Amino acid sequence: DTAVSQTPKYLVTQMGNDKSIKCEQNLGHDTMYWYKQDSKKFLKIMFSYNNKELIINETVPNRFSPKSPDKAHLNLHINSLELGDSAVYFCASSQLSGVGTTDTQYFGPGTRLTVL
Amino acid sequence: KQEVTQIPAALSVPEGENLVLNCSFTDSAIYNLQWFRQDPGKGLTSLLLIQSSQREQTSGRLNASLDKSSGRSTLYIAASQPGDSATYLCALNYGGATNKLIFGTGTLLAVQP
């Protein structure tokens, strides 16, 4: 009965490859997020989708493309992987109750991506 | 620029001590603030959420306070236990419609048995 799940948990790949990370939430939330945690453990927002619509798109290389087939899923596809993409990627979800009123964000276990 | 700083970066205390973790922010126009804990190799677990109109929230041995005028939040842990050892992160929500979180730098806590 995992709330926010991600697959795979670990991903090791060569530079230049294309890879995807999947995220699913069973909390009935309408908003999902991707965060990146770098080697210094600093967490930063990358993307956010609300009801399958992109609402946050930080300064992220366009090699990163999120896709939300439905509001319970938000996948992250990365093209032409680079060494600097090595990090832990976290998916999260929450319920937006209206402007200025937001609920707790629930995080997945993370996907550790290593680019060789 | 919205910056969030946590002091200290690391803290080691003996079991049973009460302790305070600090979070400072430069832009006080927040909607809410969340405290998370992160265990090694794991995801984040939400501990407490304080809305901008609130001064504090309590859950068990944890108490979080918010002082927007001084740009500070504290997380108080009473009677610390070895199981409290983790990294503690504060995160500020500035965009109510987007719920975007700006994370602090984290405090690594070690509670010695």
Side-chain angles (χ1 to χ4, degrees):
Chain A
D1 56 347
T2 305
V4 183
S5 59
Q6 295 178 227
T7 53
K9 187 168 184 181
Y10 299 97
L11 184 54
V12 181
T13 188
Q14 300 285 334
M15 260 195 325
N17 284 349
D18 303 338
K19 290 292 178 186
S20 292
I21 306 172
K22 296 186 176 181
C23 178
E24 177 181 1
Q25 54 95 2
N26 62 7
L27 297 167
H29 289 162
D30 58 9
T31 306
M32 296 184 71
Y33 313 81
W34 278 110
Y35 289 86
K36 179 181 180 180
Q37 188 171 43
D38 61 24
S39 57
K40 295 181 180 176
K41 307 296 185 188
F42 187 63
L43 260 165
K44 190 170 180 183
I45 183 78
M46 298 174 69
F47 301 103
S48 173
Y49 271 72
N50 176 255
N51 282 319
K52 304 195 300 175
E53 276 194 45
L54 182 66
I55 56 171
I56 297 176
N57 186 353
E58 293 293 294
T59 307
V60 177
N62 56 16
R63 298 182 295 104
F64 289 78
S65 53
K67 289 211 170 31
S68 182
D70 56 62
K71 71 176 192 176
H73 295 84
L74 180 61
N75 304 322
L76 184 64
H77 188 76
I78 315 170
N79 289 329
S80 303
L81 278 156
E82 300 177 357
L83 293 176
D85 297 332
S86 295
V88 181
Y89 293 84
F90 287 99
C91 176
S93 74
S94 71
Q95 185 66 27
L96 285 187
S97 306
V99 175
T101 309
T102 55
D103 283 348
T104 300
Q105 288 193 24
Y106 295 87
F107 280 72
T111 295
R112 182 174 293 278
L113 171 65
T114 303
V115 182
L116 303 175
Chain B
K1 187 179 176 185
Q2 296 160 340
E3 293 183 350
V4 186
T5 306
Q6 291 184 244
I7 295 173
L11 180 63
S12 180
V13 299
E15 183 177 4
E17 270 203 11
N18 302 327
L19 59 100
V20 175
L21 307 180
N22 296 293
C23 174
S24 300
F25 43 94
T26 55
D27 183 349
S28 61
I30 65 173
Y31 280 97
N32 60 43
L33 181 149
Q34 263 183 271
W35 281 93
F36 292 89
R37 70 173 279 169
Q38 183 176 22
D39 294 280
K42 301 280 179 64
L44 279 69
T45 302
S46 180
L47 299 172
L48 291 162
L49 182 146
I50 310 179
Q51 299 290 354
S52 63
S53 57
Q54 297 174 323
R55 298 282 295 189
E56 65 178 326
Q57 281 285 346
T58 298
S59 175
R61 294 182 294 108
L62 305 179
N63 176 277
S65 69
L66 174 63
D67 183 348
K68 290 198 303 179
S69 61
S70 64
R72 293 188 60 194
S73 175
T74 61
L75 180 67
Y76 174 82
I77 303 177
S80 58
Q81 303 170 357
D84 295 331
S85 299
T87 297
Y88 289 80
L89 296 157
C90 66
L92 276 62
N93 178 4
Y94 286 101
T98 62
N99 203 18
K100 168 181 158 180
L101 291 181
I102 308 293
F103 278 87
T105 46
T107 294
L108 177 60
L109 173 66
V111 181
Q112 310 297 333

